[in-house]
Amino acid sequence: DTAVSQTPKYLVTQMGNDKSIKCEQNLGHDTMYWYKQDSKKFLKIMFSYNNKELIINETVPNRFSPKSPDKAHLNLHINSLELGDSAVYFCASSQDTPLGAGWKETQYFGPGTRLLVL
Amino acid sequence: GQNIDQPTEMTATEGAIVQINCTYQTSGFNGLFWYQQHAGEAPTFLSYNVLDGLEEKGRFSSFLSRSKGYSYLLLKELQMKDSASYLCAVRASRAGGYNKLIFGAGTRLAVHP
């Protein structure tokens, strides 16, 4: 049973295209995240949703638009793809409560989506 | 600002002990995580410290000193499968009560026979 799943696993596309990545978690968590890991392996938060509400929105170009239809799903749509968008995108989830106990907030990561923009 | 430093690479011998250090400067510090990431795979949780001291979990231990902004991950009885990147991540509290994780660049550990 996969806890956090992402599709697709690999995505190769041309510059200027629009693409979507989907994420689903079956852990019953309230909070989901999108991270970008670049070629230098830096893992950086992009967005976070808690119960379908956007709670973290880092300085990400507005070509990136997350959507959370329900608390088990968080999708990422990217418009007008650029070469610099090539990276691995990880989805994660946690049971996150405001100022909650740390043990409840361990983030569980999906397998990643490897995006290559040509 | 937020800053997390850890060595880029380390090598060690199978069966030995290795210590991976992490120093941080963050506002709203609210805990520190260590994650392991094998090449081409997702990060997986190893340990969490929010109070000063040592947390032990089998072959892995993690230490935190909040006054020094310092943590280390100690791996004992190294095995070849421990070759991976080890990511230090600080949990920082934000306005509105939600936290976010700020990751270091990771330390790539190579274990040799």
Side-chain angles (χ1 to χ4, degrees):
Chain A
D1 290 342
T2 305
V4 183
S5 59
Q6 293 178 229
T7 53
K9 190 167 181 181
Y10 298 96
L11 187 51
V12 181
T13 188
Q14 299 287 332
M15 232 170 31
N17 283 349
D18 302 338
K19 290 291 177 188
S20 290
I21 308 171
K22 296 188 175 185
C23 178
E24 177 181 0
Q25 54 96 3
N26 62 7
L27 296 166
H29 288 167
D30 290 338
T31 306
M32 296 184 72
Y33 311 81
W34 276 112
Y35 285 88
K36 180 180 180 181
Q37 189 169 44
D38 59 25
S39 56
K40 294 183 180 174
K41 306 302 179 188
F42 235 118
L43 196 60
K44 194 165 180 194
I45 182 110
M46 299 172 70
F47 302 103
S48 177
Y49 274 73
N50 178 269
N51 280 317
K52 301 194 297 175
E53 180 191 346
L54 181 66
I55 58 172
I56 295 176
N57 185 352
E58 294 294 289
T59 48
V60 177
N62 57 15
R63 298 182 294 104
F64 290 78
S65 52
K67 277 198 173 64
S68 182
D70 55 62
K71 73 175 195 177
H73 295 85
L74 180 62
N75 304 323
L76 183 65
H77 187 76
I78 316 170
N79 287 326
S80 304
L81 277 156
E82 299 178 357
L83 294 176
D85 298 332
S86 296
V88 182
Y89 292 84
F90 285 102
C91 176
S93 74
S94 71
Q95 185 62 29
D96 194 69
T97 54
L99 302 178
W103 68 272
K104 287 186 179 178
E105 294 181 298
T106 299
Q107 293 187 18
Y108 295 88
F109 286 81
T113 295
R114 283 138 194 87
L115 172 64
L116 178 60
V117 182
L118 302 174
Chain B
Q2 320 275 23
N3 197 39
I4 300 175
D5 287 314
Q6 46 182 138
T8 306
E9 289 184 352
M10 297 183 72
T11 59
T13 306
E14 201 175 7
I17 299 174
V18 72
Q19 177 174 313
I20 303 174
N21 296 325
C22 172
T23 57
Y24 63 88
Q25 292 171 311
T26 56
S27 54
F29 176 84
N30 203 5
L32 188 144
F33 289 84
W34 283 95
Y35 278 82
Q36 180 190 59
Q37 186 177 24
H38 284 100
E41 296 184 12
T44 54
F45 169 74
L46 283 179
S47 69
Y48 173 69
N49 296 69
V50 67
L51 299 175
D52 290 352
L54 190 68
E55 293 282 340
E56 295 188 80
K57 224 172 154 184
R59 295 190 298 115
F60 292 18
S61 305
S62 56
F63 171 84
L64 175 67
S65 167
R66 288 170 298 172
S67 61
K68 293 181 180 173
Y70 168 69
S71 173
Y72 68 72
L73 179 70
L74 193 71
L75 294 78
K76 302 175 192 171
E77 300 167 19
L78 279 171
Q79 302 175 9
M80 298 296 289
K81 68 177 183 180
D82 297 329
S83 294
S85 285
Y86 291 85
L87 311 178
C88 173
V90 169
R91 181 164 156 249
S93 59
R94 301 166 72 244
Y98 292 101
N99 301 286
K100 73 173 184 181
L101 280 190
I102 302 162
F103 281 85
T107 299
R108 201 157 50 246
L109 173 67
V111 180
H112 299 291

